[in-house]
Amino acid sequence: MRIPLSWLREFAQIPAGATAEDVMADLVKVGFEEEAVHRPTDALRGPVVVGQVLSLVKEPQSNGKTINWCQVRVVPEGQEQALTGKGIDPSGVQGIVCGAHNFVEGDKVVVTLPGAVLPGDFHISARKTYGHMSAGMIASVRELGIGEDHDGILVLSRIGLDPEIGADAMELLGLYDQAAEINVTPDRGYAFSIRGVAREYAHATGTEFTDPASKVNAPAVLSGGYGVKINDDAPIYGKPGCDRFVARTVRGVDATGPTPPWMSSRLRLAGIRSISLPVDISNYVMLELGQPLHFYDQDKLSGDIVVRRAVAGEKLTTLDGKERSLDPEDLLITDASGPIGVAGVMGGASTEVSDATTAVLIEAAHFEEVSIARSRRRHKLPSEASKRFERGVDWQVANIAAQRAVDLLVELAGGTADEAGTDVGTASDPVTIVLPAEFPAARIGIDFTEDQIVTSLEDLGAVLEKTGAGWTVTAPSWRNDLETKEDLSEEVARLVGYDQIPATLPVAPPGRGLTRVQQQRRRLVQALADAGLTEVLAYPFVSKAANDTFGVAEEGAPRTAVKLANPISEEHGYLRTSVLPGLLEIAKRNHSRGFRDLAVFEAGMVFLPGDTLGTLSIPPLGVKPSDEVLDALYDGVPDQPLHIAAVLTGHDSPAAAGHAPRLWDWADALDIARLAGDVLGVELVVTRGRHQAFHPGRAAQLSLRSGEVVGYAGELHPKLLAAHDMPARSAALELNADALFEAAADVVVARHISTFPVATQDVALVVPQDVPADDVLAALREGAGELLEDVALFDVYAGKGIEEGKKSLAFGLRFRATDRTLTADEASEARERAVATAAERFGAVQR
């Protein structure tokens, strides 16, 4: 929300010298976030003055153009030029070359004199052009940065101005004003108005607030106006889509009249483009009071207005010129001809106010939040009106906003208001909340005084009634977010001051803290980070092809995935069943930007739908669902296990003097997977694996001792890497972390560290080519017995000296006893037992 300071000053006491930064600093105290400052003078600097064209000579040029050589008076006749500077004529008459042709002699225009700077850092100076010394520029609205019109220069009489020659044009056009932009959270829709922000500024500073609604003299009762019927036969969650509709008529309107500069400048600073006088008035009232309005050309209406739900098959061409197919859930504004607007979102083109309009029907209605939000999302049609309606609008302000619009149309467009009007609908019961006296202190942790509680809530506009144990609080009509005693407590804390809340951490009750799974997850993530990998976060939205490739091991195997109803993009329309697609996209993006040595990982959920997905209906709001309903909801939620995955590409370290970096390979991916198991105290069984996303001969399947497959590690498939423009030997791994957590022991017992020396022996075994090295390693470990501390493969060889169809596997064996120093014979005996077991199972022969 952008707040022009001149506008805010009408309703809140802001110090004369306060800047937009000062206002934002005060609003931060009551919970708003700073966004930006909008100050025209940051891009536009004077001298910019009012001038009058004394003479205009048209001069055709050889390039086909015709320029105007103008003499422009920039000080009143008979007065001396007070400004000095290179190019400023002391006589007060400037010679200026101008290429526009939409003005004549005698017109008053905006002149940027030498020394001025226009938006885009365009400096004005005297320069020779088209055979003349042009000292200044006659400006268009686009050149001044106050509009998009660049067809001609700004003639002041056409916007209703007749200022004195030499007057400061920047002040005349409101260009010294500035706006503070704040972020408004969804629960505080009332702050999408000057009315709401002025009230909050008064809360923050303790100054006086004048409600702009109190300045409008609206009739207490309206009757006899345009016919309006509310007929919502399919309310959402039992709430009618429209519970108030105010209609007023103003006749004899001049829709072509100029929007006054004070209004257009405020709208511009508030981020809304000036379009036409009726539209500008509608937007101005919406920004001031927070009540969106819609203006109809009453002569284009046929029959009574009816607010109803759409009928299947109905269509409507909206103001943006697009024909929209309507949904039976859409709330519509209709007349005898059919739909003329999507309620609270956008009006229809058939009843649009145009330059020929003379009778304007003003709509100020109150629509239910969910209906508007769903229509806005369904039609992908965001608007300033829907932004406010879906957050909640004050029911009580509709007739006031309509009267404010009537007053402005009469004052600025020369209209005449009908005394008759329409006001149909019924207000919902006001929200009353029981607030125990001790609850705010218990909730926030500060001992609020009774005076602080009462004063804060009354400042909000709430009505308090004292009870024996506290108060009964009636929330103000503009605060639809206040529904519970917790909401009221937070408001008390906000207005008393967040800075009053002590920065102390609560003491955890004995026996509580992180759960077992939380501890395991933190330990696992920290271990990977300590190992040199970088944690990243990827979007959980992927393509169907990515799920088909990574979600199942075998190509063509059945796979189910959750399809998004309203994806960010159709290309990424599914929830992921594997973490690796997102990591590959991150690696690809980094590669494209020159970062080629990567080791990244992510711990995130995947989404694995079961037989049931979702429910046939959504439980209504305001009612606690039964256990059966909750069970059905949980049954429809897909399983979401935590997976941990990593991608390794490029080198393991930067090149340096005396150091040659090593390329990441499949063994590194396997080591990281084993590290994950070691950290959790889970033994991973490594076997040769096959997965369509991995290299056919360089992939390992990772399982638990129970046989459950928990992941894969190895090099990614060359075709997959080529499709992603990745190095051909990139490695990756993915593990089901939840399965590891479940398999891990509650307590990991550290192994005894022996103080006796280790005995190391090597063995090279020749085995058939198709025997996995890990199977041979397992046989050696089993045969060696309890004296074996560790065994590792350190060489694989096939070639000269080795029989065809066979390979040599070299292992290093480490033996150690816990109670003595081993003799060479003991170590050799254990080694021979290990070799014998391998020979028995695989026909292994020592090399």
Side-chain angles (χ1 to χ4, degrees), residues 724-766:
H724 283 77
D725 295 324
M726 297 280 288
R729 300 294 292 272
S730 297
L733 68 119
E734 183 164 10
L735 291 168
N736 183 338
D738 276 358
L740 297 181
F741 297 156
E742 187 175 347
D746 291 339
V747 178
V748 178
V749 180
R751 289 185 294 178
H752 175 71
I753 299 176
S754 175
T755 59
F756 294 95
V758 66
T760 303
Q761 295 200 16
D762 296 339
V763 61
L765 301 176
V766 177

mmCIF file of all heavy atoms in Angstrom, residues 724-766:
data_model
loop_
_atom_site.group_PDB
_atom_site.id
_atom_site.type_symbol
_atom_site.label_atom_id
_atom_site.label_comp_id
_atom_site.label_asym_id
_atom_site.label_seq_id
_atom_site.Cartn_x
_atom_site.Cartn_y
_atom_site.Cartn_z
ATOM 1 N N HIS A 724 20.895 -32.316 -19.703
ATOM 2 C CA HIS A 724 20.982 -31.196 -18.771
ATOM 3 C C HIS A 724 22.262 -30.381 -18.966
ATOM 4 O O HIS A 724 22.562 -29.506 -18.141
ATOM 5 C CB HIS A 724 20.931 -31.706 -17.325
ATOM 6 C CG HIS A 724 19.555 -32.080 -16.862
ATOM 7 N ND1 HIS A 724 18.947 -33.267 -17.245
ATOM 8 C CD2 HIS A 724 18.663 -31.430 -16.068
ATOM 9 C CE1 HIS A 724 17.760 -33.333 -16.699
ATOM 10 N NE2 HIS A 724 17.540 -32.247 -15.995
ATOM 11 N N ASP A 725 23.031 -30.668 -20.025
ATOM 12 C CA ASP A 725 24.302 -29.957 -20.278
ATOM 13 C C ASP A 725 25.221 -30.034 -19.069
ATOM 14 O O ASP A 725 25.856 -29.058 -18.673
ATOM 15 C CB ASP A 725 24.039 -28.482 -20.640
ATOM 16 C CG ASP A 725 23.279 -28.345 -21.943
ATOM 17 O OD1 ASP A 725 23.533 -29.151 -22.854
ATOM 18 O OD2 ASP A 725 22.419 -27.453 -22.037
ATOM 19 N N MET A 726 25.324 -31.240 -18.484
ATOM 20 C CA MET A 726 26.158 -31.466 -17.318
ATOM 21 C C MET A 726 27.360 -32.325 -17.710
ATOM 22 O O MET A 726 27.316 -33.069 -18.696
ATOM 23 C CB MET A 726 25.347 -32.174 -16.235
ATOM 24 C CG MET A 726 24.166 -31.370 -15.712
ATOM 25 S SD MET A 726 24.681 -30.158 -14.524
ATOM 26 C CE MET A 726 25.080 -31.238 -13.159
ATOM 27 N N PRO A 727 28.449 -32.251 -16.920
ATOM 28 C CA PRO A 727 29.613 -33.102 -17.200
ATOM 29 C C PRO A 727 29.236 -34.575 -17.236
ATOM 30 O O PRO A 727 28.370 -35.032 -16.481
ATOM 31 C CB PRO A 727 30.553 -32.797 -16.036
ATOM 32 C CG PRO A 727 30.177 -31.432 -15.592
ATOM 33 C CD PRO A 727 28.697 -31.322 -15.806
ATOM 34 N N ALA A 728 29.915 -35.329 -18.088
ATOM 35 C CA ALA A 728 29.513 -36.709 -18.351
ATOM 36 C C ALA A 728 29.732 -37.649 -17.181
ATOM 37 O O ALA A 728 29.186 -38.744 -17.156
ATOM 38 C CB ALA A 728 30.258 -37.234 -19.579
ATOM 39 N N ARG A 729 30.536 -37.292 -16.182
ATOM 40 C CA ARG A 729 30.812 -38.208 -15.066
ATOM 41 C C ARG A 729 30.299 -37.639 -13.746
ATOM 42 O O ARG A 729 30.935 -37.809 -12.708
ATOM 43 C CB ARG A 729 32.323 -38.474 -14.975
ATOM 44 C CG ARG A 729 32.939 -39.093 -16.217
ATOM 45 C CD ARG A 729 32.414 -40.497 -16.465
ATOM 46 N NE ARG A 729 32.852 -41.426 -15.458
ATOM 47 C CZ ARG A 729 34.005 -42.118 -15.524
ATOM 48 N NH1 ARG A 729 34.822 -41.954 -16.563
ATOM 49 N NH2 ARG A 729 34.321 -42.959 -14.572
ATOM 50 N N SER A 730 29.145 -37.002 -13.759
ATOM 51 C CA SER A 730 28.572 -36.462 -12.528
ATOM 52 C C SER A 730 27.957 -37.596 -11.706
ATOM 53 O O SER A 730 27.376 -38.529 -12.252
ATOM 54 C CB SER A 730 27.502 -35.422 -12.847
ATOM 55 O OG SER A 730 28.061 -34.321 -13.532
ATOM 56 N N ALA A 731 28.105 -37.490 -10.382
ATOM 57 C CA ALA A 731 27.620 -38.529 -9.478
ATOM 58 C C ALA A 731 26.479 -38.000 -8.620
ATOM 59 O O ALA A 731 26.321 -36.782 -8.454
ATOM 60 C CB ALA A 731 28.750 -39.034 -8.598
ATOM 61 N N ALA A 732 25.700 -38.930 -8.065
ATOM 62 C CA ALA A 732 24.565 -38.522 -7.238
ATOM 63 C C ALA A 732 24.187 -39.661 -6.307
ATOM 64 O O ALA A 732 24.615 -40.812 -6.486
ATOM 65 C CB ALA A 732 23.369 -38.141 -8.112
ATOM 66 N N LEU A 733 23.386 -39.327 -5.310
ATOM 67 C CA LEU A 733 22.834 -40.338 -4.417
ATOM 68 C C LEU A 733 21.506 -39.826 -3.890
ATOM 69 O O LEU A 733 21.260 -38.624 -3.858
ATOM 70 C CB LEU A 733 23.769 -40.623 -3.244
ATOM 71 C CG LEU A 733 23.922 -39.478 -2.236
ATOM 72 C CD1 LEU A 733 23.465 -39.895 -0.861
ATOM 73 C CD2 LEU A 733 25.353 -39.001 -2.197
ATOM 74 N N GLU A 734 20.638 -40.743 -3.487
ATOM 75 C CA GLU A 734 19.394 -40.384 -2.828
ATOM 76 C C GLU A 734 19.032 -41.485 -1.850
ATOM 77 O O GLU A 734 19.110 -42.669 -2.176
ATOM 78 C CB GLU A 734 18.258 -40.159 -3.822
ATOM 79 C CG GLU A 734 16.965 -39.719 -3.143
ATOM 80 C CD GLU A 734 15.943 -39.136 -4.097
ATOM 81 O OE1 GLU A 734 16.151 -39.238 -5.321
ATOM 82 O OE2 GLU A 734 14.936 -38.564 -3.622
ATOM 83 N N LEU A 735 18.650 -41.070 -0.634
ATOM 84 C CA LEU A 735 18.306 -42.014 0.423
ATOM 85 C C LEU A 735 16.967 -41.626 1.039
ATOM 86 O O LEU A 735 16.660 -40.437 1.171
ATOM 87 C CB LEU A 735 19.370 -42.002 1.524
ATOM 88 C CG LEU A 735 20.754 -42.567 1.175
ATOM 89 C CD1 LEU A 735 21.738 -42.203 2.266
ATOM 90 C CD2 LEU A 735 20.685 -44.070 0.982
ATOM 91 N N ASN A 736 16.213 -42.632 1.437
ATOM 92 C CA ASN A 736 14.999 -42.407 2.206
ATOM 93 C C ASN A 736 15.414 -42.206 3.656
ATOM 94 O O ASN A 736 15.663 -43.169 4.388
ATOM 95 C CB ASN A 736 14.052 -43.599 2.062
ATOM 96 C CG ASN A 736 12.728 -43.390 2.778
ATOM 97 O OD1 ASN A 736 12.624 -42.574 3.695
ATOM 98 N ND2 ASN A 736 11.712 -44.122 2.362
ATOM 99 N N ALA A 737 15.502 -40.948 4.066
ATOM 100 C CA ALA A 737 16.002 -40.653 5.409
ATOM 101 C C ALA A 737 15.054 -41.164 6.481
ATOM 102 O O ALA A 737 15.506 -41.619 7.542
ATOM 103 C CB ALA A 737 16.221 -39.149 5.560
ATOM 104 N N ASP A 738 13.755 -41.106 6.231
ATOM 105 C CA ASP A 738 12.796 -41.600 7.229
ATOM 106 C C ASP A 738 13.012 -43.086 7.504
ATOM 107 O O ASP A 738 12.887 -43.547 8.650
ATOM 108 C CB ASP A 738 11.368 -41.351 6.760
ATOM 109 C CG ASP A 738 10.890 -39.942 7.092
ATOM 110 O OD1 ASP A 738 11.665 -39.195 7.714
ATOM 111 O OD2 ASP A 738 9.755 -39.583 6.725
ATOM 112 N N ALA A 739 13.319 -43.852 6.452
ATOM 113 C CA ALA A 739 13.581 -45.281 6.647
ATOM 114 C C ALA A 739 14.848 -45.485 7.478
ATOM 115 O O ALA A 739 14.918 -46.394 8.313
ATOM 116 C CB ALA A 739 13.710 -45.977 5.297
ATOM 117 N N LEU A 740 15.855 -44.646 7.268
ATOM 118 C CA LEU A 740 17.077 -44.739 8.073
ATOM 119 C C LEU A 740 16.792 -44.381 9.526
ATOM 120 O O LEU A 740 17.289 -45.035 10.451
ATOM 121 C CB LEU A 740 18.145 -43.806 7.508
ATOM 122 C CG LEU A 740 18.649 -44.096 6.089
ATOM 123 C CD1 LEU A 740 19.724 -43.095 5.693
ATOM 124 C CD2 LEU A 740 19.181 -45.509 5.988
ATOM 125 N N PHE A 741 15.985 -43.345 9.740
ATOM 126 C CA PHE A 741 15.661 -42.946 11.120
ATOM 127 C C PHE A 741 14.956 -44.090 11.858
ATOM 128 O O PHE A 741 15.225 -44.350 13.025
ATOM 129 C CB PHE A 741 14.751 -41.711 11.114
ATOM 130 C CG PHE A 741 15.377 -40.486 10.518
ATOM 131 C CD1 PHE A 741 14.589 -39.465 9.992
ATOM 132 C CD2 PHE A 741 16.756 -40.335 10.452
ATOM 133 C CE1 PHE A 741 15.153 -38.334 9.442
ATOM 134 C CE2 PHE A 741 17.336 -39.206 9.907
ATOM 135 C CZ PHE A 741 16.529 -38.211 9.392
ATOM 136 N N GLU A 742 14.038 -44.753 11.147
ATOM 137 C CA GLU A 742 13.278 -45.817 11.782
ATOM 138 C C GLU A 742 14.163 -47.018 12.099
ATOM 139 O O GLU A 742 13.973 -47.699 13.113
ATOM 140 C CB GLU A 742 12.128 -46.238 10.863
ATOM 141 C CG GLU A 742 11.174 -47.231 11.497
ATOM 142 C CD GLU A 742 9.977 -47.520 10.604
ATOM 143 O OE1 GLU A 742 9.772 -46.773 9.629
ATOM 144 O OE2 GLU A 742 9.259 -48.489 10.902
ATOM 145 N N ALA A 743 15.155 -47.279 11.234
ATOM 146 C CA ALA A 743 16.032 -48.436 11.432
ATOM 147 C C ALA A 743 17.112 -48.165 12.472
ATOM 148 O O ALA A 743 17.709 -49.102 13.006
ATOM 149 C CB ALA A 743 16.681 -48.826 10.105
ATOM 150 N N ALA A 744 17.369 -46.887 12.750
ATOM 151 C CA ALA A 744 18.443 -46.547 13.685
ATOM 152 C C ALA A 744 18.069 -46.947 15.107
ATOM 153 O O ALA A 744 16.899 -46.876 15.508
ATOM 154 C CB ALA A 744 18.731 -45.050 13.619
ATOM 155 N N ALA A 745 19.060 -47.352 15.860
ATOM 156 C CA ALA A 745 18.847 -47.685 17.265
ATOM 157 C C ALA A 745 18.554 -46.425 18.054
ATOM 158 O O ALA A 745 18.996 -45.324 17.698
ATOM 159 C CB ALA A 745 20.077 -48.382 17.828
ATOM 160 N N ASP A 746 17.782 -46.569 19.117
ATOM 161 C CA ASP A 746 17.485 -45.416 19.958
ATOM 162 C C ASP A 746 18.747 -44.821 20.552
ATOM 163 O O ASP A 746 18.873 -43.609 20.696
ATOM 164 C CB ASP A 746 16.527 -45.813 21.087
ATOM 165 C CG ASP A 746 15.138 -46.132 20.559
ATOM 166 O OD1 ASP A 746 14.827 -45.675 19.444
ATOM 167 O OD2 ASP A 746 14.389 -46.839 21.243
ATOM 168 N N VAL A 747 19.682 -45.665 20.907
ATOM 169 C CA VAL A 747 20.950 -45.218 21.477
ATOM 170 C C VAL A 747 22.077 -45.819 20.659
ATOM 171 O O VAL A 747 22.152 -47.043 20.490
ATOM 172 C CB VAL A 747 21.091 -45.642 22.956
ATOM 173 C CG1 VAL A 747 22.445 -45.196 23.498
ATOM 174 C CG2 VAL A 747 19.958 -45.059 23.787
ATOM 175 N N VAL A 748 22.938 -44.998 20.118
ATOM 176 C CA VAL A 748 24.098 -45.470 19.363
ATOM 177 C C VAL A 748 25.246 -45.664 20.343
ATOM 178 O O VAL A 748 25.698 -44.712 20.986
ATOM 179 C CB VAL A 748 24.486 -44.463 18.258
ATOM 180 C CG1 VAL A 748 25.717 -44.951 17.523
ATOM 181 C CG2 VAL A 748 23.326 -44.262 17.288
ATOM 182 N N VAL A 749 25.696 -46.906 20.488
ATOM 183 C CA VAL A 749 26.767 -47.228 21.427
ATOM 184 C C VAL A 749 28.099 -47.135 20.710
ATOM 185 O O VAL A 749 28.318 -47.781 19.676
ATOM 186 C CB VAL A 749 26.570 -48.643 22.010
ATOM 187 C CG1 VAL A 749 27.692 -48.971 22.992
ATOM 188 C CG2 VAL A 749 25.210 -48.753 22.678
ATOM 189 N N ALA A 750 28.984 -46.317 21.235
ATOM 190 C CA ALA A 750 30.307 -46.155 20.629
ATOM 191 C C ALA A 750 31.129 -47.433 20.793
ATOM 192 O O ALA A 750 31.079 -48.092 21.838
ATOM 193 C CB ALA A 750 31.032 -44.980 21.264
ATOM 194 N N ARG A 751 31.864 -47.796 19.760
ATOM 195 C CA ARG A 751 32.727 -48.980 19.837
ATOM 196 C C ARG A 751 33.950 -48.698 20.697
ATOM 197 O O ARG A 751 34.448 -47.576 20.737
ATOM 198 C CB ARG A 751 33.163 -49.391 18.431
ATOM 199 C CG ARG A 751 32.050 -49.984 17.595
ATOM 200 C CD ARG A 751 32.562 -50.480 16.267
ATOM 201 N NE ARG A 751 33.031 -49.367 15.430
ATOM 202 C CZ ARG A 751 33.564 -49.510 14.225
ATOM 203 N NH1 ARG A 751 33.732 -50.720 13.734
ATOM 204 N NH2 ARG A 751 33.939 -48.465 13.528
ATOM 205 N N HIS A 752 34.411 -49.750 21.346
ATOM 206 C CA HIS A 752 35.601 -49.626 22.176
ATOM 207 C C HIS A 752 36.818 -49.334 21.301
ATOM 208 O O HIS A 752 37.001 -49.939 20.241
ATOM 209 C CB HIS A 752 35.829 -50.928 22.958
ATOM 210 C CG HIS A 752 37.098 -50.931 23.744
ATOM 211 N ND1 HIS A 752 37.269 -50.161 24.880
ATOM 212 C CD2 HIS A 752 38.269 -51.595 23.544
ATOM 213 C CE1 HIS A 752 38.486 -50.350 25.354
ATOM 214 N NE2 HIS A 752 39.106 -51.228 24.558
ATOM 215 N N ILE A 753 37.618 -48.402 21.715
ATOM 216 C CA ILE A 753 38.836 -48.059 20.981
ATOM 217 C C ILE A 753 40.007 -48.806 21.625
ATOM 218 O O ILE A 753 40.347 -48.581 22.804
ATOM 219 C CB ILE A 753 39.084 -46.543 21.001
ATOM 220 C CG1 ILE A 753 37.916 -45.815 20.321
ATOM 221 C CG2 ILE A 753 40.385 -46.195 20.301
ATOM 222 C CD1 ILE A 753 38.009 -44.311 20.380
ATOM 223 N N SER A 754 40.588 -49.697 20.853
ATOM 224 C CA SER A 754 41.706 -50.485 21.384
ATOM 225 C C SER A 754 42.982 -49.660 21.390
ATOM 226 O O SER A 754 43.253 -48.883 20.464
ATOM 227 C CB SER A 754 41.908 -51.745 20.532
ATOM 228 O OG SER A 754 43.048 -52.457 20.967
ATOM 229 N N THR A 755 43.786 -49.866 22.424
ATOM 230 C CA THR A 755 45.070 -49.154 22.516
ATOM 231 C C THR A 755 46.219 -49.985 21.968
ATOM 232 O O THR A 755 47.379 -49.546 21.963
ATOM 233 C CB THR A 755 45.366 -48.807 23.982
ATOM 234 O OG1 THR A 755 45.404 -50.020 24.749
ATOM 235 C CG2 THR A 755 44.305 -47.868 24.528
ATOM 236 N N PHE A 756 45.898 -51.195 21.485
ATOM 237 C CA PHE A 756 46.939 -52.076 20.963
ATOM 238 C C PHE A 756 47.166 -51.805 19.482
ATOM 239 O O PHE A 756 46.248 -51.348 18.776
ATOM 240 C CB PHE A 756 46.559 -53.544 21.201
ATOM 241 C CG PHE A 756 46.511 -53.904 22.659
ATOM 242 C CD1 PHE A 756 45.310 -53.867 23.355
ATOM 243 C CD2 PHE A 756 47.686 -54.257 23.334
ATOM 244 C CE1 PHE A 756 45.270 -54.192 24.700
ATOM 245 C CE2 PHE A 756 47.639 -54.579 24.682
ATOM 246 C CZ PHE A 756 46.434 -54.541 25.379
ATOM 247 N N PRO A 757 48.358 -52.094 18.981
ATOM 248 C CA PRO A 757 48.682 -51.767 17.586
ATOM 249 C C PRO A 757 47.917 -52.632 16.596
ATOM 250 O O PRO A 757 47.467 -53.736 16.916
ATOM 251 C CB PRO A 757 50.193 -52.016 17.509
ATOM 252 C CG PRO A 757 50.469 -52.984 18.600
ATOM 253 C CD PRO A 757 49.523 -52.657 19.708
ATOM 254 N N VAL A 758 47.781 -52.100 15.377
ATOM 255 C CA VAL A 758 47.073 -52.786 14.321
ATOM 256 C C VAL A 758 48.045 -53.610 13.498
ATOM 257 O O VAL A 758 49.219 -53.250 13.337
ATOM 258 C CB VAL A 758 46.329 -51.774 13.424
ATOM 259 C CG1 VAL A 758 47.303 -50.895 12.674
ATOM 260 C CG2 VAL A 758 45.407 -52.480 12.442
ATOM 261 N N ALA A 759 47.551 -54.750 12.992
ATOM 262 C CA ALA A 759 48.338 -55.596 12.080
ATOM 263 C C ALA A 759 47.683 -55.538 10.718
ATOM 264 O O ALA A 759 46.492 -55.850 10.582
ATOM 265 C CB ALA A 759 48.386 -57.030 12.595
ATOM 266 N N THR A 760 48.427 -55.130 9.700
ATOM 267 C CA THR A 760 47.871 -54.920 8.370
ATOM 268 C C THR A 760 48.405 -55.971 7.410
ATOM 269 O O THR A 760 49.625 -56.220 7.368
ATOM 270 C CB THR A 760 48.226 -53.524 7.840
ATOM 271 O OG1 THR A 760 47.747 -52.554 8.764
ATOM 272 C CG2 THR A 760 47.607 -53.277 6.493
ATOM 273 N N GLN A 761 47.498 -56.581 6.645
ATOM 274 C CA GLN A 761 47.888 -57.531 5.614
ATOM 275 C C GLN A 761 47.008 -57.287 4.388
ATOM 276 O O GLN A 761 45.844 -56.909 4.515
ATOM 277 C CB GLN A 761 47.726 -58.971 6.103
ATOM 278 C CG GLN A 761 48.661 -59.322 7.269
ATOM 279 C CD GLN A 761 48.853 -60.804 7.423
ATOM 280 O OE1 GLN A 761 48.545 -61.576 6.512
ATOM 281 N NE2 GLN A 761 49.385 -61.229 8.568
ATOM 282 N N ASP A 762 47.600 -57.505 3.215
ATOM 283 C CA ASP A 762 46.866 -57.330 1.965
ATOM 284 C C ASP A 762 46.664 -58.681 1.313
ATOM 285 O O ASP A 762 47.440 -59.637 1.537
ATOM 286 C CB ASP A 762 47.636 -56.424 1.001
ATOM 287 C CG ASP A 762 47.786 -55.015 1.540
ATOM 288 O OD1 ASP A 762 46.980 -54.644 2.426
ATOM 289 O OD2 ASP A 762 48.698 -54.302 1.093
ATOM 290 N N VAL A 763 45.624 -58.731 0.474
ATOM 291 C CA VAL A 763 45.364 -59.948 -0.281
ATOM 292 C C VAL A 763 44.768 -59.552 -1.624
ATOM 293 O O VAL A 763 43.938 -58.647 -1.706
ATOM 294 C CB VAL A 763 44.414 -60.899 0.482
ATOM 295 C CG1 VAL A 763 43.071 -60.262 0.730
ATOM 296 C CG2 VAL A 763 44.243 -62.214 -0.284
ATOM 297 N N ALA A 764 45.239 -60.215 -2.698
ATOM 298 C CA ALA A 764 44.676 -60.008 -4.034
ATOM 299 C C ALA A 764 44.037 -61.302 -4.482
ATOM 300 O O ALA A 764 44.712 -62.348 -4.524
ATOM 301 C CB ALA A 764 45.753 -59.557 -5.011
ATOM 302 N N LEU A 765 42.765 -61.249 -4.840
ATOM 303 C CA LEU A 765 42.005 -62.428 -5.209
ATOM 304 C C LEU A 765 41.510 -62.311 -6.649
ATOM 305 O O LEU A 765 41.004 -61.261 -7.060
ATOM 306 C CB LEU A 765 40.799 -62.601 -4.282
ATOM 307 C CG LEU A 765 41.111 -62.751 -2.781
ATOM 308 C CD1 LEU A 765 39.822 -62.818 -1.989
ATOM 309 C CD2 LEU A 765 41.955 -63.994 -2.529
ATOM 310 N N VAL A 766 41.671 -63.408 -7.397
ATOM 311 C CA VAL A 766 41.175 -63.457 -8.765
ATOM 312 C C VAL A 766 39.816 -64.166 -8.727
ATOM 313 O O VAL A 766 39.714 -65.309 -8.259
ATOM 314 C CB VAL A 766 42.151 -64.195 -9.690
ATOM 315 C CG1 VAL A 766 41.573 -64.287 -11.106
ATOM 316 C CG2 VAL A 766 43.495 -63.491 -9.716
#
